[in-house]
Amino acid sequence: MEPLTWTLQAIGLFMVTNIDDVIVLSLFYARGAGVPGTTARILGGQYLGFGAILAAAVLVALGARSFLPEEVIPYFGLIPLVLGLLAAWRSWRSWCDGDDDDDEGKLSGKALSVPAIAAITFANGGDNIGVYVPVFATVGTGGIIAYSIVFLALVAVLVAAARFVATRKPIAEVLERWEQVLFPIVLIGLGIVILVEGGAFGL
């Protein structure tokens, strides 16, 4: 019964700790609308980022605490904060240059970067490490393997859910209209929340 128990617990734990990623991933889809390979880049970035979270949690659970000191985790909030500020700067420059109404201009330069998506995924899920570690520390090697398999399978489900949300016509229209504003706001807000909740810089 242990494998079944681990599987059900892993599904519940993944949903609780990653459901908020649907919003961020939906905005990635909005940003990459019309650009070939968008889904592949989002999937690749999500797997890289979550794979790093999983690897860190496993290493810490197995005793390699020096690999990722707990006080370092809140500073991962700097990653989405900086990327959000850069996105805001580009959007502002585009608006100042009068490109806001140019449909071709909207689609140009919007190819997503796998490393950037991975970095945001890792930063957004940095606090998940603290949740996964005690679970991994108690289930043993077999449990860790079972949890990891379920988690990695659900990453694809999460990306598919975000794609479904982003391609619903009413939602897609809102995302397309407001993507240039929402994308940097979400990233900046995400970075600030991670920094503040983790007590970075004495906040």
Side-chain angles (χ1 to χ4, degrees):
M1 288 295 291
E2 273 191 342
L4 177 60
T5 301
W6 287 335
T7 299
L8 294 175
Q9 289 176 343
I11 292 172
L13 185 59
F14 184 90
M15 290 176 62
V16 169
T17 54
N18 293 281
I19 193 66
D20 57 323
D21 284 355
V22 172
I23 298 172
V24 178
L25 291 173
S26 296
L27 286 171
F28 280 140
Y29 269 109
R31 170 142 292 216
V35 179
T38 291
T39 296
R41 291 188 186 94
I42 292 175
L43 194 62
Q46 186 74 4
Y47 266 110
L48 280 175
F50 189 81
I53 291 170
L54 196 55
V58 170
L59 286 172
V60 174
L62 293 176
R65 295 188 179 277
S66 59
F67 172 76
L68 192 69
E70 188 176 340
E71 61 270 15
V72 171
I73 293 177
Y75 292 95
F76 290 137
L78 291 171
I79 297 172
L81 178 61
V82 170
L83 291 173
L85 290 171
L86 287 173
W89 169 251
R90 293 192 190 101
S91 295
W92 184 74
R93 286 192 62 184
S94 175
W95 181 79
C96 288
D97 292 339
D99 294 335
D100 191 52
D101 295 326
D102 184 356
D103 289 340
E104 292 184 4
K106 284 182 181 179
L107 294 178
S108 64
K110 294 292 184 68
L112 301 170
S113 163
V114 171
I117 294 171
I120 292 170
T121 299
F122 185 77
N124 189 28
D127 56 339
N128 292 0
I129 295 171
V131 177
Y132 297 158
V133 167
V135 175
F136 289 170
T138 57
V139 296
T141 303
I144 290 174
I145 293 172
Y147 270 77
S148 298
I149 292 172
V150 173
F151 281 178
L152 292 174
L154 290 177
V155 167
V157 175
L158 189 69
V159 172
R163 187 177 188 278
F164 176 83
V165 170
T167 53
R168 298 309 92 192
K169 190 172 181 181
I171 299 174
E173 288 176 353
V174 172
L175 290 175
E176 183 179 354
R177 179 181 295 272
W178 295 103
E179 175 269 328
Q180 285 194 332
V181 175
L182 291 174
F183 190 76
I185 286 177
V186 168
L187 292 188
I188 292 169
L190 181 63
I192 292 173
V193 167
I194 293 172
L195 290 169
V196 172
E197 288 189 348
F201 304 113
L203 297 173

